[in-house]
Amino acid sequence: MNTPYQDAQRAGQAAVRTAILDHAIDLLVTEGAAALTMRRIASGIGASTKVLYTMFGGKEGLVDALYREGFARLRRAQQRAHRAEDPLTRLNDLAAAYRAHALAEPAYYRVMFEQAVPGYQPSAEALGAAESAFDASVEAVQACIDSGVFAPGDASEISKLLWAAAHGAVSLEIAGHFPPETAARRFHTLMAAVGQAFLADEHGQGRTS
């Protein structure tokens, strides 16, 4: 029987990287940060530690790769969101995609936002990847401004405020404070309420101006 590493090798370098990261995130979830060693990960997929050190440079590089992978997956989820013609609908769809992705990938979500690995500090490259993951949201906000749905403003700043609201609700849901039967309703109610602050009235002025 082949090891996960041997199976991934046949599919190429990207598959090997994914196999390593998938096993690392599983270890982190099931056994905690202390289990996240190069030796444990290598043993789990049937590879040598040399493979991991060559690809990631060490544990810090591997955790950085987990962080970047989390945001890469979020970016792809945002890109797959329904591209509605109406800009506000598009923005709401992106918010829904953010929540769905967080619930589908809670382990990565914790690496990205909850310091699941004590002492880890994202590299400049990782922070850049995190910032770019929200490009679609900024573009959707700008479309709302350009179409007159939102009052004139800084699309990047508005996007970050909407993200803060979405993140808060999702974090509470993942932690179990919002039960499944109320979580979705609370999320959408919150996002609608925050969005109201940026809507333009009939004179094109923001409701909060």
Side-chain angles (χ1 to χ4, degrees):
M1 175 183 264
N2 292 331
T3 66
Y5 173 65
Q6 290 170 327
D7 289 337
Q9 274 187 307
R10 293 191 177 90
Q13 191 79 348
V16 170
R17 182 180 183 276
T18 298
I20 293 170
L21 294 180
D22 284 349
H23 186 64
I25 205 77
D26 285 344
L27 268 179
L28 185 62
V29 169
T30 58
E31 299 186 38
L36 205 63
T37 68
M38 303 299 264
R39 185 176 298 279
R40 284 291 308 278
I41 297 166
S43 175
I45 65 168
S48 68
T49 55
K50 181 180 178 180
V51 172
L52 273 69
Y53 280 106
T54 299
M55 293 189 74
F56 303 106
K59 180 179 175 179
E60 186 76 10
L62 187 139
V63 177
D64 211 56
L66 287 173
Y67 182 92
R68 287 185 279 115
E69 177 68 16
F71 280 103
R73 294 184 182 204
L74 172 59
R75 187 185 307 109
R76 291 195 292 270
Q78 298 269 288
Q79 290 169 345
R80 289 193 299 268
H82 177 60
R83 300 190 67 87
E85 290 187 14
D86 174 66
L88 190 56
T89 299
R90 167 68 173 153
L91 187 59
N92 290 334
D93 287 344
L94 287 171
Y98 179 87
R99 174 175 175 264
H101 172 74
L103 296 178
E105 302 269 16
Y108 275 107
Y109 188 85
R110 292 189 173 99
V111 171
M112 294 153 68
F113 300 121
E114 297 179 2
Q115 296 183 321
V117 181
Y120 165 66
Q121 293 295 323
S123 65
E125 180 184 0
L127 290 173
E131 185 72 18
S132 68
F134 295 94
D135 286 350
S137 176
V138 176
E139 291 168 5
V141 170
Q142 188 62 58
C144 286
I145 294 171
D146 293 343
S147 66
V149 175
F150 280 1
D154 184 331
S156 179
E157 180 65 15
I158 294 171
S159 175
K160 284 183 170 60
L161 293 170
L162 292 170
W163 171 30
H167 177 76
V170 168
S171 294
L172 288 169
E173 183 175 0
I174 289 176
H177 297 295
F178 286 178
E181 61 271 19
T182 62
R185 173 178 54 79
R186 287 175 176 172
F187 179 85
H188 294 300
T189 299
L190 174 63
M191 297 311 297
V194 176
Q196 285 280 331
F198 306 107
L199 290 175
D201 62 21
E202 64 271 22
H203 303 294
Q205 300 297 317
R207 296 180 188 272
T208 58
S209 60

